[in-house]
Amino acid sequence: MIRKITLSLGRHMSSMARGATQVRRLLHGGYVRIHPSVQEALVEGRPVVALESTIITHGMAYPLNLSMAREVEEIVRINGAVPATVGILRGEIHVGLTDEELEFLASSKNAVKVSRRDFPFVLSQGLSGGTTVSGTMITAHKAGIPVFVTGGIGGVHRDGENTLDVSADLTELGRTPVAVVSAGAKSILDIGRTLEYLETQGVCVAAFGESREFPAFFSRQSGFQAPYHVQDEEEAAKLIDSALGLGLSSGVLIAVPCPQERAAEGQAIEKAIQQALSQARSKGITGKEVTPFLLQKLTELTDGKSLDSNLALIQNNARVGSCIAVALSKLQKARRKGSQPRRKDMTAPQPVVIGGINVDFIAKAQNSEILGGGQTNAGRVRRTFGGVGRNLADCLSRLGQAPLLLSAVGKDEHLESVLHYCHHMVSQFKENLCQAPLVCIDGNVPLSTIQYVCQLAREHQLAVCYEPTDESKASKPFLSDSWKALTYISPNLQELRAINRTLGNPLPAELPSRLEDVVQAAVALACPLLAHLHCVVVTLGAHGVLLCGKSLGGSISLYPGAHKQAAAARLCAAHYPAIPISREEIINVSGAGDSLMAGILAGVLAKHDTGTCVRMGLLAASLSLRSYEPISPEISTSSVSQEQVKSRSWPEAKVWKMD
């Protein structure tokens, strides 16, 4: 399981309780794609409603299924929430579908019905399918979506005491903490035994409205009472909030009766159900094929009235479910607001870092020669904590900037050690990205997140720094026009070449090693990017750092907008040599580049001049090169500061004109 963790950094905050850490699950990776609109809503804490897709792939014929899916999504939007239809497309789980993807599923002839048991096979084979209640609950929970709307849940089938045919929806409700809003259980099921099974699974079941009568999909009455009932969406939201707050592993079922105007059709439909069940038995139809067969047969036997009722109750559930999601979101926001410190106690808006946290293991042999033949080689293994985003945030924190770190950690034996080591990064609150004086993002972040941050940068004139991480990830923002919203990038020469390759720009035949040739190549590769970027910071390892950007009066500006009105500003490159350090002194190179950039950015946030900013970065990098940790614990506001820069003698930066 992957969890999104929001960390607010500040070295003097270790006294805060670890229990204050706000953790939300965020599912991402090779198998999952979260639609940008859904991801944006989740990041901002706005209400999202998960929707299943089996009703699209197996519940209705094309094109009625497509128009139904569109209508349900629109109902969710009208009522103030963001729809997130879950489906499987070519071996990938999608949370939120485009209209083209909805049409693909709706028109697919080979879509698979995907429940918990089916995920491994369907994903491994690259198949497409619709998620059941069970499959959608799993995905919604992992994506951090607490409310899920469906038509009706599965249950214990009639004659289930003999066939043991029990829907996986019921066991999923017993082990996945998601609130399911439905029209009760489908009336083709054994309602009494379904309710008994839900009780055994520890599922909190509540009827929605004035009555405790448990609805039976097409009918408002089933003859059975729900254990509880909630009068309206506010009461439902409080119930769900209580369940989530307790940390129970089970879900909540909110049973919504079908609209009153459709109630008269219930008896006629019940008679048709009995006839359809008889036909299913005679044809030997069993298992997951039963429900699609019965729904299709009911449509025929009732001359479409069951289909009309089906559509009406699904639309009604979408309306009720989205109102519940909105009420739940307001409830949670109010609680978060109440737990935040008062504005007068808060410092200026924080810089935000979005990136990775790694646990690294470094093994070093005691002897210079490794003995072969299966012999034991004495040595030492050290565990360190890295990840570009974590490194940047750590170093900025040590330099007094208290950034907000948004990252992801695995729920494993290393989680507690990460949080313990990052004791100066205790979660306090999630600052609005739009208020941040600086946003840093690394190449480990999913492309959709990078695009979202760049979109915010355009809309709110944010300063955004992109750290490419490595050659294979460097080009992510440059796959579209997103990169034009960035302010700074900090590539090495290999990453800079990869970026230009993606943009289709001319490339050098090979990368040089001699300093003069390295600078010339870096200038040529950085120049086309400066049509949109404010500054390109090229890290050159032992050669130091090359700043490429606009210059006025001999100094390259690190502050966006400083030369917009200055006609005399021109593109220049300035080379700052690294602080000399012998090979014997170097212990760890993994965090030096991150320390360099964090030092520069700390200087920018402190509004120092360009030379001071760059040399603060060089000081931080030299300390981390001598440390076993990626970010040296020796980095502080006293060891890396304007005063330290002024106390040392530095070689002059060499400046070249780029235009």
Side-chain angles (χ1 to χ4, degrees), residues 461-527:
Q461 291 76 53
L462 301 179
V464 179
C465 176
Y466 176 65
E467 215 303 321
T469 305
D470 63 39
E471 190 172 357
S472 65
K473 300 171 184 174
S475 297
K476 281 186 178 180
F478 299 86
L479 296 171
S480 69
D481 283 344
S482 295
W483 71 276
K484 295 178 181 178
L486 299 173
T487 310
Y488 315 101
I489 62 170
S490 54
N492 59 30
L493 199 57
Q494 290 79 10
E495 293 161 352
L496 188 57
R497 178 179 60 179
I499 290 168
N500 276 270
R501 182 184 296 116
T502 299
L503 294 174
N505 295 331
L507 301 175
E510 58 183 47
L511 294 180
S513 56
R514 197 168 64 96
L515 176 58
E516 291 77 5
D517 298 330
V518 167
V519 169
Q520 185 177 356
V523 166
L525 291 170
C527 193

Side-chain angles (χ1 to χ4, degrees), residues 219-557:
S219 175
R220 292 174 67 89
Q221 290 87 31
S222 66
F224 296 92
Q225 297 284 297
Y228 308 104
H229 85 283
V230 288
Q231 300 267 1
D232 51 33
E233 55 265 24
E234 282 77 18
E235 285 193 9
K238 289 178 182 178
L239 173 65
I240 296 165
D241 188 55
S242 295
L244 295 174
L246 286 169
L248 301 178
S249 60
S250 52
V252 173
L253 177 62
I254 306 295
V256 182
C258 71
Q260 183 68 49
E261 59 270 20
R262 297 288 180 179
E265 299 167 357
Q267 290 183 343
I269 293 172
E270 184 60 32
K271 291 179 182 178
I273 287 171
Q274 296 301 327
Q275 188 176 345
L277 282 168
S278 177
Q279 291 185 27
R281 285 192 292 267
S282 66
K283 292 178 180 290
I285 296 173
T286 59
K288 64 181 182 179
E289 304 302 326
V290 171
T291 299
F293 172 82
L294 292 179
L295 292 175
Q296 178 62 37
K297 187 57 63 177
L298 283 176
T299 301
E300 297 173 9
L301 293 173
T302 62
D303 294 325
K305 289 182 180 179
S306 66
L307 182 58
D308 291 341
S309 292
N310 195 359
L311 289 169
L313 69 86
I314 291 167
Q315 292 166 354
N316 187 56
N317 290 350
R319 181 188 62 79
V320 173
S322 52
C323 289
I324 291 173
V326 169
L328 178 63
S329 176
K330 289 179 180 176
L331 194 64
Q332 293 173 334
K333 282 183 178 178
R335 185 171 58 254
R336 286 197 296 269
K337 185 177 180 181
S339 66
Q340 290 179 8
R342 295 179 182 177
R343 176 61 59 178
K344 67 179 182 180
D345 297 327
M346 295 170 66
T347 58
Q350 298 166 284
V352 176
V353 180
I354 308 172
I357 297 177
N358 296 335
V359 179
D360 300 323
F361 292 89
I362 301 171
K364 187 172 184 179
Q366 184 173 309
N367 300 316
S368 57
E369 293 186 9
I370 303 297
L371 302 176
Q375 297 184 59
T376 299
N377 289 271
R380 185 177 183 183
V381 177
R382 294 184 62 91
R383 181 182 66 183
T384 62
F385 299 95
V388 173
R390 193 219 70 89
N391 289 349
L392 286 170
D394 189 354
C395 194
L396 285 169
S397 173
R398 296 177 188 279
L399 294 175
Q401 294 301 324
L404 185 74
L405 171 62
L406 305 179
S407 190
V409 293
K411 188 182 180 184
D412 54 24
E413 66 272 18
H414 302 301
L415 172 59
E416 286 301 317
S417 59
V418 168
L419 294 178
H420 178 73
Y421 181 80
C422 302
H423 66 274
H424 58 298
M425 310 178 198
V426 179
S427 172
Q428 189 179 23
F429 54 86
K430 185 171 66 177
E431 192 71 77
N432 190 327
L433 279 169
C434 300
Q435 296 177 349
L438 174 70
V439 177
C440 300
I441 190 165
D442 74 24
N444 292 308
V445 172
L447 178 59
S448 59
T449 302
I450 294 173
Q451 291 172 337
Y452 167 63
V453 170
C454 290
Q455 178 185 336
L456 281 184
R458 282 195 186 95
E459 295 173 356
H460 300 277
Q461 291 76 53
L462 301 179
V464 179
C465 176
Y466 176 65
E467 215 303 321
T469 305
D470 63 39
E471 190 172 357
S472 65
K473 300 171 184 174
S475 297
K476 281 186 178 180
F478 299 86
L479 296 171
S480 69
D481 283 344
S482 295
W483 71 276
K484 295 178 181 178
L486 299 173
T487 310
Y488 315 101
I489 62 170
S490 54
N492 59 30
L493 199 57
Q494 290 79 10
E495 293 161 352
L496 188 57
R497 178 179 60 179
I499 290 168
N500 276 270
R501 182 184 296 116
T502 299
L503 294 174
N505 295 331
L507 301 175
E510 58 183 47
L511 294 180
S513 56
R514 197 168 64 96
L515 176 58
E516 291 77 5
D517 298 330
V518 167
V519 169
Q520 185 177 356
V523 166
L525 291 170
C527 193
L529 306 183
L530 291 170
H532 298 282
L533 302 181
H534 181 74
C535 188
V536 178
V537 182
V538 188
T539 58
L540 303 177
H543 289 312
V545 62
L546 184 73
L547 248 63
C548 301
K550 291 182 180 179
S551 173
L552 186 64
S555 176
I556 293 175
S557 169

Side-chain angles (χ1 to χ4, degrees), residues 122-190:
V122 171
L123 299 186
S124 67
Q125 296 295 312
L127 303 179
S128 299
T131 51
T132 64
V133 169
S134 170
T136 309
M137 284 185 72
I138 293 168
T139 307
H141 172 54
K142 291 183 178 294
I145 303 172
V147 178
F148 159 42
V149 166
T150 184
I153 64 166
V156 179
H157 282 257
R158 301 191 188 197
D159 200 33
E161 68 273 21
N162 297 315
T163 64
L164 299 182
D165 191 352
V166 179
S167 170
D169 297 351
L170 302 188
T171 50
E172 204 62 56
L173 275 160
R175 60 184 169 186
T176 302
V178 168
V180 178
V181 180
S182 81
K186 298 180 177 75
S187 51
I188 57 178
L189 303 169
D190 187 325

Side-chain angles (χ1 to χ4, degrees), residues 572-630:
C572 290
H575 174 246
Y576 293 80
I579 295 173
I581 179 171
S582 68
R583 183 182 296 271
E584 292 73 25
E585 290 179 283
I586 296 174
I587 298 174
N588 186 352
V589 299
S590 65
D594 300 333
S595 299
L596 170 69
M597 199 59 202
I600 293 173
L601 294 175
V604 170
L605 290 167
K607 303 190 184 309
H608 296 320
D609 63 83
T610 297
T612 298
C613 292
V614 175
R615 286 160 180 147
M616 284 175 63
L618 293 171
L619 281 172
S622 69
L623 288 171
S624 290
L625 285 169
R626 296 177 171 90
S627 170
Y628 284 103
E629 306 296 336

